[in-house]
């Protein structure tokens, strides 16, 4: 993203660090995290049960996660943040 970074791990977890002013890290507390942060926020932990992230992208003030939904058996796009 413009002021945040994202990491997609092999196990499907997505972590983000950096600015969270618009909720782009999927954290309800909108404030900035220092970068690099040894304890980044788990963005994918806020997704519905059964969602397995496949790809992630950061925009100016938002994060987009493409995930496989094991419940509906289809790909679903999740967007957090604003802007």
């Amino acid at each position: 993203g413009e002021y945040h970074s994202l990491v997609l791990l092999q196990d499907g977890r997505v972590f983000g660090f950096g600015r969270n002013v618009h909720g782009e890290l999927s954290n309800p507390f909108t404030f900035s995290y220092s970068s690099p942060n040894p304890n980044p926020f788990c963005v994918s932990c806020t997704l519905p049960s059964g969602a397995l992230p496949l790809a992630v992208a950061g925009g100016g003030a938002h994060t987009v996660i493409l995930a496989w939904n094991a419940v509906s058996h289809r790909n679903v796009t999740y967007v957090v943040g604003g802007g």
Side-chain angles (χ1 to χ4, degrees):
E2 188 172 356
Y3 295 104
H4 68 291
S5 296
L6 303 159
V7 178
L8 172 60
L9 301 180
Q10 287 182 326
D11 64 6
R13 291 179 298 159
V14 177
F15 287 92
F17 52 91
R19 190 169 145 180
N20 186 55
V21 175
H22 301 283
E24 52 267 59
L25 300 183
S26 190
N27 185 329
F29 303 103
T30 54
F31 56 86
S32 293
Y33 289 86
S34 59
S35 176
N37 185 340
N39 298 302
F41 188 77
C42 181
V43 179
S44 60
C45 294
T46 62
L47 296 179
S49 179
L52 176 65
L54 304 172
V56 63
H62 64 280
T63 294
V64 179
I65 299 175
L66 174 65
W68 171 255
N69 186 302
V71 176
S72 65
H73 300 287
R74 62 187 175 101
N75 288 332
V76 179
T77 302
Y78 298 97
V79 180
V80 295

